[in-house]
C-alpha cells in the first residue's frame, strides 16, 4: 500500500483543523453538559422555591385569618385564596392534607384539564414523602424534588410538608404542597442549543480549514520563493543568492544559511574547477613530450640505436613525472575524503623525523645540503603514519630545493602542553617567502614564488598542498613563520590524549 505524502502546507492545514476540531468538540461537550446541568438545577430551584412560597403564603393567610377571628367555612378556602393571588407561572400546585384528600389545586391551563385530578405519579410521590416523614427520614422543612414522567412527558415536582401553627393541630391538619412543572420548554431549549452546536462546529471547521490553508500558504510563501530560486541556481550561476525578507525569523535564517552554503559551494566548485584545469595542464605537458618523442622516433623507418635510446630516456623521464603527479592526485583525493579514510594509530614524532631524515639523506648529499635536528622532544600524535611521513618528506624536499649549496636544513620538535599541541619546525637557508605570498604557497599546482626561485622546479606544485591537506586532516595546520633568513615551516599537530608527552 502506497503511503500518502502530504506537503507541509497540507500538513499545517490538517494539524490546525484537527487541533481546532478537538478544541471545539471538547468545548462544546463541556458547554453542553454544563448548560444541561444549569437548566436542570434551575427547574429544580423553580419548583422548590414555588413550593416554599405557597407554603409561606398559606401559613400567613391562616395567621391573618386567626387574628381577625375569621372561621373557615369551606374546607381549603384559605388555600384557594392563596393560589388565586400568587403568580406561579406554568406550575401546577396540588395541596392535600394528611388524609390525602384534595383541598386545592391550581392548574394554569384549565382548558386542558377541566377536572381536578392528581396524577398517579404525583400521588405516589406524596405518599412516599409522607412515609419518609413518618419514618423520620425527612424533617418538616425538607423539600423533596423528583423527576417524573407524566404521560410520556418529563416533569419535575417538589413536595413540602407544612405543619400547622402551635395550638391549632386539631383544627388545621398538616398539608402536603406539591409544585409540578412540565419540562417540555426546557427540552425544546436544550434541543435548540444542541442543534446550534451541531451546526456551528462543522461551519467553524470549514472556516478554520479555509483560513488555515490561506494562512499557511501565506506563511510558507517565502519558503516557496526560496525553493523556486534555489531550483533555478545551477553550476553556471553559483554567485546568485536567495532573497532574505526577514533575517530574524526562521525562514530568514534558513535563506541566510543557504546563501552561506552557496558561497562555500561556489568557492569549492571554483577551486575544483581550477584544480582540474591545473591538473590537465600538468598532465598535458609530459603527455605532449612523450607523444612528440614517439612521433619523432617513428617518423623514419630506421634510426641509429643511440637516437632510440635518447627518445626512450625522455619518455621514461616524463612517464616517471606522470606517475608522480598521478600518485599525488590520488593522495590528495584520499586526504580530501576526510578522517574516515585515514588509518589512526599512535605515531611518535621523533621516530618519524628520524625516518624522514634517513629518506632524504642521499638527496641532501647530492645537493650538498646538511640536514640536522636539535631540541627533539618526545611527542606522540594519533594519526596515519604513512601520510605523516609523506608530510615530512614534502617539507624536507621543499627545503632542499630552495637551500643553497653548503646550506643547512634544521628540524626541531617541541610541545605546547597548555594547548596539547606538538610543533615540528623545518628551517632552510634559502631566499625565504615574502609575507604577501605566504598564503599561496599551500595552493595546489603553485610552483613557487618569484622571489624564491628553485634550482629544481620540475615538480607539479603539489608538495606543500599535500602537506597542508595531511596536517588539516589530522586536526592541525602548517604556517610559514617570519624567521629570516630562509623559510621556516611550523607544523602544529594535536597530541595523542592517551600518550605521555614531555618537552
Amino acid at each position: 500500500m502506497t503511503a500518502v505524502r502530504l506537503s507541509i502546507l497540507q500538513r499545517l492545514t490538517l494539524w490546525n483543523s484537527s487541533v481546532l476540531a478537538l478544541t471545539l468538540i471538547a468545548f462544546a461537550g463541556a458547554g453542553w453538559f454544563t448548560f444541561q446541568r444549569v437548566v436542570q438545577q434551575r427547574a429544580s430551584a423553580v419548583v422548590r422555591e414555588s413550593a416554599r412560597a405557597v407554603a409561606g403564603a398559606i401559613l400567613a393567610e391562616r395567621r391573618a385569618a386567626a387574628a381577625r377571628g375569621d372561621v373557615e367555612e369551606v374546607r381549603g378556602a384559605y388555600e384557594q385564596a392563596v393560589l388565586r393571588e400568587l403568580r406561579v407561572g406554568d406550575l401546577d400546585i396540588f395541596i392535600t392534607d394528611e388524609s390525602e384528600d384534595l383541598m386545592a389545586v391550581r392548574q394554569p391551563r384549565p382548558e386542558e384539564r377541566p377536572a381536578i385530578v392528581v396524577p398517579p405519579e404525583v400521588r405516589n410521590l406524596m405518599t412516599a414523602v409522607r412515609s419518609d416523614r413518618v419514618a423520620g427520614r425527612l424533617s418538616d422543612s425538607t423539600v423533596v424534588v423528583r423527576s417524573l414522567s407524566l404521560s410520556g412527558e418529563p416533569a419535575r415536582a417538589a413536595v413540602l410538608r407544612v405543619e400547622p401553627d402551635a395550638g391549632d393541630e386539631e383544627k388545621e391538619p398538616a398539608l402536603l404542597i406539591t409544585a409540578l412543572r412540565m419540562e417540555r420548554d426546557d427540552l425544546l431549549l436544550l434541543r435548540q442549543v444542541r442543534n446550534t452546536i451541531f451546526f456551528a462546529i462543522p461551519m467553524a471547521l470549514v472556516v478554520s480549514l479555509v483560513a488555515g490553508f490561506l494562512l499557511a500558504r501565506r506563511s510558507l510563501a517565502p519558503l516557496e520563493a526560496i525553493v523556486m530560486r534555489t531550483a533555478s541556481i545551477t553550476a553556471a550561476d553559483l554567485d546568485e543568492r536567495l532573497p532574505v525578507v526577514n533575517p530574524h525569523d526562521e525562514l530568514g535564517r534558513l535563506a541566510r544559511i543557504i546563501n552561506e552554503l552557496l558561497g562555500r559551494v561556489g568557492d569549492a566548485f571554483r577551486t575544483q574547477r581550477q584544480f582540474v584545469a591545473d591538473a590537465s595542464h600538468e598532465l598535458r605537458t609530459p603527455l605532449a613530450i612523450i607523444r612528440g618523442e614517439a612521433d619523432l622516433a617513428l617518423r623514419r623507418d630506421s634510426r641509429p640505436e643511440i637516437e632510440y635510446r635518447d627518445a626512450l630516456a625522455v619518455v621514461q623521464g616524463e612517464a616517471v613525472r606522470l606517475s608522480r603527479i598521478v600518485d599525488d592526485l590520488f593522495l590528495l583525493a584520499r586526504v580530501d575524503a576526510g578522517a574516515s579514510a585515514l588509518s589512526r594509530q599512535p605515531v611518535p614524532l621523533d621516530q618519524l623525523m628520524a625516518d624522514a631524515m634517513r629518506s632524504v639523506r642521499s638527496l641532501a648529499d647530492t645537493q650538498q645540503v646538511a640536514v640536522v635536528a636539535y631540541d627533539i622532544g618526545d611527542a606522540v600524535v594519533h594519526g596515519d603514519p604513512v601520510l605523516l611521513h609523506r608530510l615530512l618528506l614534502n617539507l624536507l624536499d621543499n627545503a632542499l630545493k630552495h637551500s643553497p649549496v653548503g646550506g643547512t636544513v634544521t628540524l626541531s620538535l617541541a610541545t605546547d602542553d597548555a594547548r596539547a599541541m606538538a610543533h615540528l619546525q623545518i628551517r632552510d637557508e634559502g631566499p625565504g617567502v615574502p609575507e604577501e605570498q605566504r598564503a599561496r604557497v599551500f595552493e595546489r599546482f603553485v610552483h613557487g614564488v618569484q622571489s624564491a626561485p628553485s634550482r629544481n622546479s620540475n615538480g607539479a606544485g603539489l608538495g606543500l598542498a599535500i602537506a597542508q591537506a595531511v596536517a588539516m586532516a589530522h586536526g592541525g595546520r602548517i604556517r610559514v613563520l617570519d624567521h629570516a633568513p630562509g623559510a621556516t615551516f611550523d607544523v602544529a599537530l594535536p597530541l595523542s590524549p592517551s600518550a605521555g608527552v614531555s618537552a
Side-chain angles (χ1 to χ4, degrees), residues 69-122:
D70 295 342
V71 178
E72 181 180 5
E73 298 178 356
V74 180
R75 187 168 177 264
Y78 297 149
E79 288 76 8
Q80 292 289 351
V82 168
L83 293 181
R84 284 193 298 269
E85 295 178 0
L86 285 180
R87 297 180 179 272
V88 290
D90 57 349
L91 274 69
D92 290 339
I93 304 298
F94 302 95
I95 302 176
T96 61
D97 59 12
E98 292 289 351
S99 61
E100 299 186 7
D101 292 333
L102 185 67
M103 297 175 59
V105 61
R106 180 184 185 276
Q107 295 176 320
R109 292 172 295 276
E111 67 279 2
E112 296 181 7
R113 296 180 182 179
I116 300 177
V117 178
V118 179
E121 294 84 358
V122 176

Side-chain angles (χ1 to χ4, degrees), residues 166-368:
D168 295 339
E169 290 82 352
E170 295 181 358
K171 182 182 294 184
E172 296 291 343
L175 301 178
L176 287 178
I177 300 175
T178 302
L180 177 67
R181 180 176 181 271
M182 303 302 294
E183 294 186 338
R184 61 173 65 91
D185 293 338
D186 292 342
L187 292 179
L188 179 61
L189 176 62
L190 290 174
R191 188 179 300 110
Q192 292 175 347
V193 172
R194 182 188 61 193
N195 294 338
T196 301
I197 291 176
F198 286 164
F199 175 76
I201 289 181
M203 289 298 297
L205 289 179
V206 172
V207 173
S208 170
L209 191 65
V210 175
F213 177 80
L214 297 177
L215 180 61
R217 187 173 65 176
R218 182 177 180 84
S219 301
L220 294 176
L223 181 60
E224 183 66 20
I226 291 175
V227 172
M228 298 297 294
R229 189 67 175 271
T230 304
S232 65
I233 296 176
T234 63
D237 52 3
L238 288 177
D239 292 331
E240 294 289 335
R241 293 296 180 265
L242 303 178
V244 181
V245 179
N246 185 2
H248 302 292
D249 63 5
E250 290 79 0
L251 295 179
R253 291 197 297 269
L254 175 62
R256 189 171 64 251
I257 292 174
I258 293 178
N259 285 337
E260 295 174 356
L261 175 62
L262 287 174
R264 293 193 297 269
V265 171
D267 294 340
F269 187 80
R270 283 187 291 271
T271 301
Q272 187 69 19
R273 185 164 49 191
Q274 184 64 35
F275 173 77
V276 172
D278 293 338
S280 300
H281 177 74
E282 291 294 330
L283 293 174
R284 183 174 57 185
T285 301
L287 287 175
I289 294 175
I290 292 174
R291 181 177 178 180
E293 289 295 328
D295 291 341
L296 183 61
L298 295 174
R299 187 170 299 172
R300 292 188 300 181
D301 295 337
S302 62
R303 284 181 178 273
E305 182 180 352
I306 187 63
E307 292 183 8
Y308 285 113
R309 286 185 174 274
D310 292 340
L312 290 176
V314 173
V315 170
Q316 183 186 24
E318 294 303 322
V320 171
R321 183 183 176 189
L322 276 175
S323 298
R324 186 181 301 115
I325 294 175
V326 172
D327 291 341
D328 290 343
L329 292 177
F330 274 117
L331 181 59
L332 279 174
R334 179 188 173 193
V335 175
D336 289 342
S340 59
L342 303 183
S343 175
R344 298 280 186 171
Q345 64 184 63
V347 180
L349 289 183
D350 54 347
Q351 181 179 346
L352 191 70
M353 292 172 61
D355 295 340
M357 291 173 63
R358 283 194 298 269
S359 298
V360 300
R361 182 182 304 167
S362 59
L363 180 61
D365 292 342
T366 301
Q367 299 182 179
Q368 299 180 15

Side-chain angles (χ1 to χ4, degrees), residues 400-444:
L400 292 174
K401 287 180 181 179
H402 295 85
S403 294
V405 177
T408 303
V409 175
T410 306
L411 287 81
S412 63
L413 175 63
T415 57
D416 184 357
D417 294 338
R419 299 182 180 179
M421 298 292 290
H423 290 271
L424 191 154
Q425 294 185 357
I426 299 176
R427 179 182 299 179
D428 59 52
E429 297 178 351
V433 183
E435 184 176 358
E436 65 275 8
Q437 298 178 353
R438 291 175 185 172
R440 295 192 65 246
V441 297
F442 297 106
E443 295 180 5
R444 299 175 182 183

Side-chain angles (χ1 to χ4, degrees), residues 28-83:
W32 167 256
F33 287 113
T34 302
F35 184 73
Q36 189 178 31
R37 184 177 181 85
V38 168
V39 170
Q40 293 174 353
Q41 291 177 349
R42 189 197 66 171
S44 299
V46 167
V47 294
R48 183 188 302 110
E49 298 304 322
S50 297
R52 287 176 177 173
V54 171
I58 291 175
L59 291 178
E61 181 67 20
R62 285 184 175 184
R63 295 189 189 104
R68 294 191 305 268
D70 295 342
V71 178
E72 181 180 5
E73 298 178 356
V74 180
R75 187 168 177 264
Y78 297 149
E79 288 76 8
Q80 292 289 351
V82 168
L83 293 181

